[in-house]
Amino acid sequence: MKQLAFFVDVSACSGCKTCQMACKDKHDLPVGQLWRRVYEVAGGGWQARGPAWVSSVIAYHLSVGCNHCERPICVEVCPSGAARKREDGIVLIDGERCLGCGYCRWACPYGAPQYDEAHGVMAKCHLCYDEIDAGRQPVCVTACPMRALEVGDLADLRSLHGAAADAYPLPPPSHTEPALVIKPHPGAATTDRPSFSIINREEVGREGR
Ligand code: SF4
């Protein structure tokens, strides 16, 4: 079965948030709703090495929406059957069936579903399925000036870029098997991960995820 997936090149992302703005614009999202969020991460420090001090300071940006997971827990917990997975792997929430109970929001380890107060339902990134159905890419992808985002078949993206879907501050991929491939920041593997923190926590959400 085909599984569409996002590829995020963290090493290329400049943190401009054009993806976030394009998404808000296309979907006319109100203040407080971000279907795509750009985490600003900083970490590392200075270590004494003999008489010298060596820096491992890094900073990077990670753009995340819904990951259209292979094991979507939002679909499993939805009591009304509003959340479902399409043949091509896109996970949708049907606004006609949604009760707005928020179970999907509580269950999703990525904080993707958000409450749409105006309509009383949950809503999230649906991978711009209207663009996909018309043979185009989602607007976050086409808007990115650094070409740091891409959508393609998960197996193809993994064969091109490897299978990594793990980067701070994301949870372990084993939870929901996200359809996500990440090219990490080059310093992330060598920098002490416990030193990492989200520096725009207020912007990306109260839970910082
Ligand atoms: Fe569901 Fe969250 Fe996975 Fe999206 S990221 S498919 S909302 S579990």
Side-chain angles (χ1 to χ4, degrees), residues 66-69 72-74 91 108-110 112-113 124 176:
C66 169
N67 297 312
H68 304 279
C69 303
I73 192 157
C74 55
V91 174
C108 172
Y110 300 96
K124 66 170 189 65
T176 59

mmCIF file of all heavy atoms in Angstrom, residues 66-69 72-74 91 108-110 112-113 124 176, ligand 1:
data_model
loop_
_atom_site.group_PDB
_atom_site.id
_atom_site.type_symbol
_atom_site.label_atom_id
_atom_site.label_comp_id
_atom_site.label_asym_id
_atom_site.label_seq_id
_atom_site.Cartn_x
_atom_site.Cartn_y
_atom_site.Cartn_z
ATOM 1 N N CYS A 66 1.090 17.197 10.742
ATOM 2 C CA CYS A 66 0.653 15.829 11.041
ATOM 3 C C CYS A 66 1.567 14.899 10.258
ATOM 4 O O CYS A 66 1.939 15.200 9.116
ATOM 5 C CB CYS A 66 -0.799 15.636 10.614
ATOM 6 S SG CYS A 66 -1.344 13.908 10.638
ATOM 7 N N ASN A 67 1.912 13.771 10.851
ATOM 8 C CA ASN A 67 2.846 12.849 10.193
ATOM 9 C C ASN A 67 2.156 11.681 9.490
ATOM 10 O O ASN A 67 2.835 10.756 9.044
ATOM 11 C CB ASN A 67 3.866 12.347 11.213
ATOM 12 C CG ASN A 67 4.699 13.491 11.736
ATOM 13 O OD1 ASN A 67 5.199 14.295 10.955
ATOM 14 N ND2 ASN A 67 4.812 13.609 13.046
ATOM 15 N N HIS A 68 0.824 11.718 9.421
ATOM 16 C CA HIS A 68 0.063 10.719 8.663
ATOM 17 C C HIS A 68 0.609 9.311 8.948
ATOM 18 O O HIS A 68 0.994 8.559 8.039
ATOM 19 C CB HIS A 68 0.042 11.097 7.178
ATOM 20 C CG HIS A 68 -0.511 12.480 7.005
ATOM 21 N ND1 HIS A 68 -1.859 12.747 7.010
ATOM 22 C CD2 HIS A 68 0.094 13.695 6.965
ATOM 23 C CE1 HIS A 68 -2.059 14.064 6.933
ATOM 24 N NE2 HIS A 68 -0.886 14.655 6.909
ATOM 25 N N CYS A 69 0.633 9.032 10.266
ATOM 26 C CA CYS A 69 1.335 7.854 10.791
ATOM 27 C C CYS A 69 0.838 6.537 10.199
ATOM 28 O O CYS A 69 -0.333 6.406 9.826
ATOM 29 C CB CYS A 69 1.172 7.808 12.308
ATOM 30 S SG CYS A 69 1.760 9.317 13.109
ATOM 31 N N PRO A 72 -1.817 5.275 13.115
ATOM 32 C CA PRO A 72 -2.348 6.539 13.622
ATOM 33 C C PRO A 72 -3.227 6.338 14.863
ATOM 34 O O PRO A 72 -4.361 5.881 14.751
ATOM 35 C CB PRO A 72 -3.154 7.082 12.444
ATOM 36 C CG PRO A 72 -3.548 5.876 11.659
ATOM 37 C CD PRO A 72 -2.472 4.846 11.871
ATOM 38 N N ILE A 73 -2.700 6.720 16.004
ATOM 39 C CA ILE A 73 -3.453 6.509 17.250
ATOM 40 C C ILE A 73 -4.696 7.402 17.290
ATOM 41 O O ILE A 73 -5.683 7.072 17.949
ATOM 42 C CB ILE A 73 -2.539 6.703 18.481
ATOM 43 C CG1 ILE A 73 -3.248 6.187 19.727
ATOM 44 C CG2 ILE A 73 -2.101 8.145 18.639
ATOM 45 C CD1 ILE A 73 -2.354 5.808 20.844
ATOM 46 N N CYS A 74 -4.656 8.525 16.540
ATOM 47 C CA CYS A 74 -5.834 9.404 16.468
ATOM 48 C C CYS A 74 -7.025 8.647 15.868
ATOM 49 O O CYS A 74 -8.164 8.822 16.301
ATOM 50 C CB CYS A 74 -5.509 10.631 15.621
ATOM 51 S SG CYS A 74 -4.896 10.229 13.980
ATOM 52 N N VAL A 91 -4.082 10.900 6.605
ATOM 53 C CA VAL A 91 -5.038 10.778 7.712
ATOM 54 C C VAL A 91 -5.902 12.034 7.752
ATOM 55 O O VAL A 91 -5.385 13.158 7.823
ATOM 56 C CB VAL A 91 -4.312 10.560 9.056
ATOM 57 C CG1 VAL A 91 -5.305 10.580 10.211
ATOM 58 C CG2 VAL A 91 -3.552 9.225 9.029
ATOM 59 N N CYS A 108 -2.443 11.966 20.332
ATOM 60 C CA CYS A 108 -1.376 12.178 19.345
ATOM 61 C C CYS A 108 -0.106 12.688 20.024
ATOM 62 O O CYS A 108 -0.119 13.743 20.651
ATOM 63 C CB CYS A 108 -1.842 13.189 18.293
ATOM 64 S SG CYS A 108 -0.506 13.679 17.183
ATOM 65 N N PRO A 109 1.016 11.959 19.884
ATOM 66 C CA PRO A 109 2.250 12.404 20.549
ATOM 67 C C PRO A 109 2.880 13.624 19.881
ATOM 68 O O PRO A 109 3.854 14.166 20.385
ATOM 69 C CB PRO A 109 3.166 11.179 20.442
ATOM 70 C CG PRO A 109 2.670 10.427 19.266
ATOM 71 C CD PRO A 109 1.188 10.682 19.169
ATOM 72 N N TYR A 110 2.328 14.041 18.726
ATOM 73 C CA TYR A 110 2.870 15.204 18.023
ATOM 74 C C TYR A 110 2.012 16.452 18.218
ATOM 75 O O TYR A 110 2.330 17.509 17.679
ATOM 76 C CB TYR A 110 3.001 14.893 16.528
ATOM 77 C CG TYR A 110 3.921 13.727 16.285
ATOM 78 C CD1 TYR A 110 3.427 12.441 16.130
ATOM 79 C CD2 TYR A 110 5.313 13.903 16.276
ATOM 80 C CE1 TYR A 110 4.273 11.355 15.965
ATOM 81 C CE2 TYR A 110 6.164 12.819 16.107
ATOM 82 C CZ TYR A 110 5.632 11.560 15.945
ATOM 83 O OH TYR A 110 6.477 10.492 15.791
ATOM 84 N N ALA A 112 -0.776 17.151 16.898
ATOM 85 C CA ALA A 112 -1.221 17.642 15.585
ATOM 86 C C ALA A 112 -2.685 18.111 15.568
ATOM 87 O O ALA A 112 -2.965 19.208 15.087
ATOM 88 C CB ALA A 112 -0.979 16.568 14.517
ATOM 89 N N PRO A 113 -3.649 17.330 16.076
ATOM 90 C CA PRO A 113 -5.040 17.805 16.020
ATOM 91 C C PRO A 113 -5.259 18.991 16.967
ATOM 92 O O PRO A 113 -4.766 18.990 18.097
ATOM 93 C CB PRO A 113 -5.855 16.585 16.476
ATOM 94 C CG PRO A 113 -4.945 15.411 16.313
ATOM 95 C CD PRO A 113 -3.582 15.944 16.575
ATOM 96 N N LYS A 124 -6.702 19.479 11.620
ATOM 97 C CA LYS A 124 -5.240 19.312 11.556
ATOM 98 C C LYS A 124 -4.776 19.327 10.108
ATOM 99 O O LYS A 124 -5.608 19.334 9.174
ATOM 100 C CB LYS A 124 -4.822 17.996 12.226
ATOM 101 C CG LYS A 124 -5.318 16.779 11.478
ATOM 102 C CD LYS A 124 -4.709 15.521 12.017
ATOM 103 C CE LYS A 124 -5.046 14.344 11.121
ATOM 104 N NZ LYS A 124 -4.473 14.413 9.774
ATOM 105 N N THR A 176 3.907 5.669 17.046
ATOM 106 C CA THR A 176 2.838 5.692 16.023
ATOM 107 C C THR A 176 3.360 5.408 14.614
ATOM 108 O O THR A 176 2.595 5.467 13.655
ATOM 109 C CB THR A 176 2.143 7.075 15.996
ATOM 110 O OG1 THR A 176 3.135 8.064 15.703
ATOM 111 C CG2 THR A 176 1.448 7.395 17.309
HETATM 112 FE FE1 SF4 B 1 -2.721 10.967 13.979
HETATM 113 FE FE2 SF4 B 1 -0.963 12.492 15.327
HETATM 114 FE FE3 SF4 B 1 -0.067 10.603 13.643
HETATM 115 FE FE4 SF4 B 1 -1.259 12.806 12.647
HETATM 116 S S1 SF4 B 1 0.690 12.728 13.807
HETATM 117 S S2 SF4 B 1 -1.649 10.636 12.033
HETATM 118 S S3 SF4 B 1 -2.806 13.202 14.223
HETATM 119 S S4 SF4 B 1 -1.249 10.234 15.533
#
